[in-house]
């Protein structure tokens, strides 16, 4: 919870370790949290790191107070989103970095592994300038400036939107484009536990 202990809190309480920062974005997973601070997009992390979801490179640890995530310090993070046990961050240049549990392919690095201990770029998205990201329970979605929506990870309920029948909804460790009716550009989206919603740009 970021207060330097493991006690429950029953009312909102300021996180003293972040008091000197101007926080511009936040993200929470199942048992881990993040804050992004201006002006350079520095990321601070705390909570469970059982699967490397804090990005510190030392799984099975716990951080009770926010700590700077050094591997992202030079990248200027503008948005961050967490799933159950993984995290995605978006840079000002439109690149996506992920880390944490990747057993369902939700980190997007082309493999199914139980932990990605440090932030790594999703290289399959190079060439696409991403403008928004969102993590579901164990899948990840990314929207590009051209209105293309990509998804990867668990697909048990068709949440990746690839148009398969229910019997063929397989998990994916690499980004794949969502099949949008009529091929219209996506204007915005949100990912939840096991589903997504989106809205499209107006036709014509």
């Amino acid at each position: 919870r970021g207060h330097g202990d493991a006690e429950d809190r029953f009312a909102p309480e300021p996180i003293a370790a972040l008091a000197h920062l101007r926080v511009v974005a936040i993200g929470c997973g199942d048992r881990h949290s993040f804050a992004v601070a201006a002006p350079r997009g520095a990321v601070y992390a705390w909570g469970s790191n059982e699967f490397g979801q804090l990005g510190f490179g030392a799984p099975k640890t716990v951080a009770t107070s926010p700590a700077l995530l050094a591997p992202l310090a030079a990248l200027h993070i503008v948005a961050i989103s967490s799933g159950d046990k993984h995290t995605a961050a978006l840079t000002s240049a439109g690149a996506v970095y992920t880390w944490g549990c990747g057993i369902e392919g939700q980190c997007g690095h082309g493999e199914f592994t139980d932990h990605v201990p440090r932030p790594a770029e999703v290289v399959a998205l190079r060439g696409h300038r991403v403008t928004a990201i969102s993590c579901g329970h164990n899948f990840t979605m990314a929207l590009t400036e051209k209105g293309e929506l990509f998804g990867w990870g668990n697909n048990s309920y068709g949440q990746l939107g690839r148009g398969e029948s229910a019997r063929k909804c397989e998990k994916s460790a690499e980004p794949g484009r969502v099949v949008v009716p009529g091929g219209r550009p996506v204007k915005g989206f949100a990912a939840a536990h096991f589903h997504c919603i989106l809205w499209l740009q107006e036709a014509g």
Side-chain angles (χ1 to χ4, degrees), residues 184-203:
R184 288 164 56 189
V186 176
K187 186 174 183 178
F189 76 103
H193 199 70
F194 285 124
H195 75 285
C196 290
I197 60 172
L198 58 84
W199 71 95
L200 307 178
Q201 294 184 18
E202 294 183 6

Side-chain angles (χ1 to χ4, degrees), residues 21-102:
L21 301 171
R22 183 164 69 89
V23 174
V24 294
I26 54 175
C28 294
D30 181 43
R31 289 175 291 175
H32 62 294
S33 304
F34 294 90
V36 180
R40 296 184 176 85
V43 176
Y44 293 81
W46 64 97
S48 172
N49 197 41
E50 182 180 3
F51 295 90
Q53 61 263 51
L54 296 185
F56 295 142
K60 308 298 183 182
T61 59
V62 173
T64 58
S65 295
L68 178 66
L69 186 50
L72 296 177
L75 294 176
H76 194 157
I77 301 304
V78 296
I80 198 160
S81 180
S82 290
D84 184 39
K85 296 178 177 67
H86 78 290
T87 304
L90 177 64
T91 75
S92 59
V96 177
Y97 285 74
T98 61
W99 62 95
C101 182

Side-chain angles (χ1 to χ4, degrees), residues 6 8 12 22 33 51 53 59 66 68 83 103 106 123-124 127-128 146 151 156 165 167 170-171 176 185 188 190 198:
D8 292 336
R22 183 164 69 89
S33 304
F51 295 90
Q53 61 263 51
L68 178 66
I103 198 66
Q106 62 264 52
V123 295
H128 300 279
K146 294 182 179 180
S156 297
S165 67
R167 291 177 295 179
E170 298 180 351
K171 61 186 180 181
L198 58 84

Side-chain angles (χ1 to χ4, degrees), residues 47 85 104 109 153:
K85 296 178 177 67
E104 296 291 326
H109 303 303

